[in-house]
Amino acid sequence: MTDEDISWLDLVTVASLIRKRELTSVQVTEAQLRRISRLDPSLHAYARTTPELALAQAHAADARQAQGETLGPLHGVPIAVKDLCWTAGINTAAGMPIYQDFIPSTDATVVRLLREAGAVLLGKLQMTESAFSGHHPDIVVPVNPWDSLGWTGVSSSGSGVATAAGLCFGSLGTDTGGSIRFPSAACGVTGLKPTWGRVSRHGVFELAASLDHIGPMCRTAADCGVMLGVLAGADPFDSTALQSPVPDYLAGNMGSLAGVRIGLDATYVATDVEPEVTAAVNQARAVFESLGAQIVSVNMPDADDLVESWVPHCAIEAAVAHTATFPARRAEYGPMLAGLLDLGLRLTATDYQRILLKRATHTGQLNALMLQVDLLLMPAMPFASPATERIANLRLEPGYRKRLSRFTAPTDMSGHPTLTFPAGSSTKGRPAAAQLVAAHLNEGLLVRAGRAFQGATDWHLRRPPSLDIFNSPERKLGSD
């Protein structure tokens, strides 16, 4: 196999080939490192690579394999993690120059679990400053492989780019207001935001403790299921990690969704949403129906006030997370994050309590709705992979945050799990995505539905155009 052939394999397939000794971990890792060396100078997905560590882990994986020993489902598979996950002996900066020299002495729980499952660490992926909505001015922003002018989403931008460009077989992202779902949608990959607490947050830089979710970003729903099976579970270092047993997320009938009730609010998915995105959601609906699912008309609870409350909620919790360095070192912060923390310090306990009451009300309403259906189908964001310039202009418009986050912030507030997956294309050839929402701890049904959809469609198999043409004067996409 060529490097190109290897790099576009899905995680489940490459793990199987390594397990059957049809490929070695060293072969796969070397192919990935060569691809990263060739493409990442243009894409900037990685904050730092760890080639020496990756090769040492790959050799160790092959030696164990030769002795008939397999560590776990990721044995020998190269992955990468967002740069807010602590990695022992490796710089972890969380997109913040203020932490560029921070070297943790221990791994985050999620990193430890990946290593124990046999994964090979290719490096740390670039991100926005402290996982909020903007990259620090000193950081080179990752480039969308579908279009050099396209938005990469926030804050797991490097995770979306690396996964979409074949620079890793799976990655870790985090989602506080949409940061697994936005880059997954914008870059055309599959992202699973688990139930809040399903995955330990120990050793992961906080943005907002009660909103932060950690989950996999991969090229298929099955890959996400394999990674989540490794990551999920109780953790003595994180008392908020749920004690519930971790199921086999790939169990169940992949091809049929008979008996599954999928709720759809036709008005909700079309109001203030680009037609290309609504079309992708409706096309997904038709596929799910063909697979045996029952589509149920529902009315989504009104979450406008809740979405407006997301920024002050996040601001208050972020201000707590940054107490050690803000405002004492304010000059070293970028303007977006500094503005958020300033807001958090101005708000009162009364403000916070009002937000918590809204949050509890909405969570109860969504829980009640999930008694009527098994899944909800909706967009992940109202745009089909927009141009970066368009997002910058939208930031200046009243109601920007509410429009962008209306399909993401509510389920971060409620803690419900979601699956984002490519389901269509814009007229400019960029990905368009759909999103499924499930009841708490029902990630297995999300994976099952995603696998069924991807078994019947090929949106997840589509690849970005050659990066070589990004430097061509003819490449002028992105002017929405």
Side-chain angles (χ1 to χ4, degrees):
M1 288 189 186
T2 67
D3 287 0
E4 186 88 356
D5 293 333
I6 291 172
S7 295
W8 287 126
L9 295 172
D10 59 74
L11 182 151
V12 170
T13 299
V14 78
S16 175
L17 292 173
I18 291 172
R19 189 166 53 250
K20 292 186 292 187
R21 303 188 193 182
E22 295 179 24
L23 283 174
T24 67
S25 179
V26 170
Q27 284 178 296
V28 174
T29 301
E30 288 178 339
Q32 287 277 270
L33 290 172
R34 285 191 293 267
R35 185 172 177 85
I36 292 167
S37 178
R38 180 168 65 89
L39 297 180
D40 202 52
S42 297
L43 291 175
H44 310 292
Y46 280 84
R48 62 196 55 80
T49 55
T50 53
E52 295 84 3
L53 173 63
L55 287 171
Q57 291 176 331
H59 280 287
D62 287 339
R64 286 178 178 270
Q65 188 80 354
Q67 296 171 358
E69 182 181 358
T70 300
L71 289 177
L74 300 179
H75 189 96
V77 178
I79 54 87
V81 302
K82 188 173 178 177
D83 195 33
L84 45 56
C85 301
W86 289 11
T87 39
I90 303 168
N91 299 63
T92 302
M96 302 180 64
I98 197 172
Y99 287 119
Q100 63 184 344
D101 297 322
F102 172 61
I103 301 177
S105 59
T106 59
D107 284 332
T109 294
V110 287
V111 173
R112 174 181 60 80
L113 291 171
L114 289 170
R115 286 180 169 172
E116 290 176 355
V120 170
L121 181 65
L122 292 169
K124 310 293 293 295
L125 295 164
Q126 195 55 270
M127 54 179 286
T128 57
E129 187 180 17
S130 189
F132 188 48
S133 21
H135 294 84
H136 189 280
D138 293 346
I139 297 294
V140 179
V141 178
V143 175
N144 193 318
W146 288 90
D147 182 346
S148 60
L149 300 180
W151 192 47
T152 54
V154 291
S155 65
S156 309
S157 51
S159 301
V161 171
T163 306
L167 304 186
C168 61
F169 293 99
S171 61
L172 286 188
T174 62
D175 197 306
T176 305
S179 295
I180 287 175
R181 289 165 286 176
F182 292 146
S184 293
C187 298
V189 301
T190 304
L192 201 167
K193 180 190 82 71
T195 304
W196 188 86
R198 177 77 283 193
V199 175
S200 169
R201 294 177 295 113
H202 171 69
V204 178
F205 275 101
E206 288 182 7
L207 174 58
S210 75
L211 299 173
D212 293 345
H213 300 64
I214 304 164
M217 297 170 63
C218 304
R219 290 194 284 274
T220 73
D223 293 352
C224 285
V226 169
M227 285 193 69
L228 183 61
V230 169
L231 301 169
D235 179 15
F237 298 107
D238 180 1
S239 61
T240 67
L242 300 176
Q243 300 290 321
S244 305
V246 179
D248 177 359
Y249 291 115
L250 298 194
N253 185 346
M254 181 188 76
S256 172
L257 294 179
V260 176
R261 300 163 300 167
I262 299 180
L264 179 70
D265 184 332
T267 301
Y268 182 65
V269 305
T271 301
D272 208 17
V273 176
E274 284 186 346
E276 296 155 320
V277 175
T278 300
V281 172
N282 286 328
Q283 288 166 10
R285 166 191 173 152
V287 172
F288 287 130
E289 280 189 299
S290 73
L291 294 167
Q294 176 188 359
I295 305 300
V296 179
S297 179
V298 298
N299 294 314
M300 291 295 297
D302 185 351
D304 284 355
D305 285 348
L306 186 77
V307 176
E308 293 281 13
S309 297
W310 183 89
V311 169
H313 191 314
C314 180
I316 292 169
E317 295 193 6
V320 173
H322 286 264
T323 300
T325 53
F326 192 93
R329 300 175 66 178
R330 190 185 195 284
E332 298 172 70
Y333 279 71
M336 284 191 185
L337 182 58
L340 180 77
L341 300 179
D342 285 337
L343 173 63
L345 293 173
R346 290 196 304 270
L347 293 166
T348 68
T350 304
D351 295 324
Y352 192 51
Q353 174 62 5
R354 291 193 182 102
I355 294 169
L356 293 181
L357 290 173
K358 292 179 186 177
R359 182 177 182 181
T361 297
H362 177 77
T363 301
Q365 292 171 336
L366 198 52
N367 284 336
L369 182 57
M370 296 308 305
L371 295 175
Q372 303 174 32
V373 296
D374 302 301
L375 298 169
L376 293 169
L377 176 62
M378 64 185 70
M381 64 179 182
F383 316 108
S385 193
T388 301
E389 181 181 4
R390 183 178 183 194
I391 292 293
N393 290 335
L394 282 170
R395 289 182 192 276
L396 305 176
E397 298 180 7
Y400 150 77
R401 174 71 61 180
K402 182 168 69 174
R403 185 182 183 196
L404 179 64
S405 304
R406 59 191 290 245
F407 299 113
T408 55
T411 46
D412 279 315
M413 299 281 246
S414 68
H416 286 81
T418 71
L419 184 78
T420 298
F421 52 97
S425 180
S426 76
T427 55
K428 295 181 181 297
R430 304 182 191 133
Q435 176 183 202
L436 289 169
V437 179
H440 292 126
L441 292 175
N442 207 0
E443 291 88 354
L445 182 56
L446 289 174
V447 173
R448 177 186 162 197
R451 292 178 72 197
F453 179 85
Q454 291 176 342
T457 63
D458 67 354
W459 295 109
H460 64 295
L461 299 177
R462 301 191 180 195
R463 303 292 176 239
S466 170
L467 295 175
D468 295 337
I469 61 175
F470 280 2
N471 297 323
S472 165
E474 290 81 18
R475 184 70 173 180
K476 295 297 182 183
L477 302 181
S479 54
D480 287 353

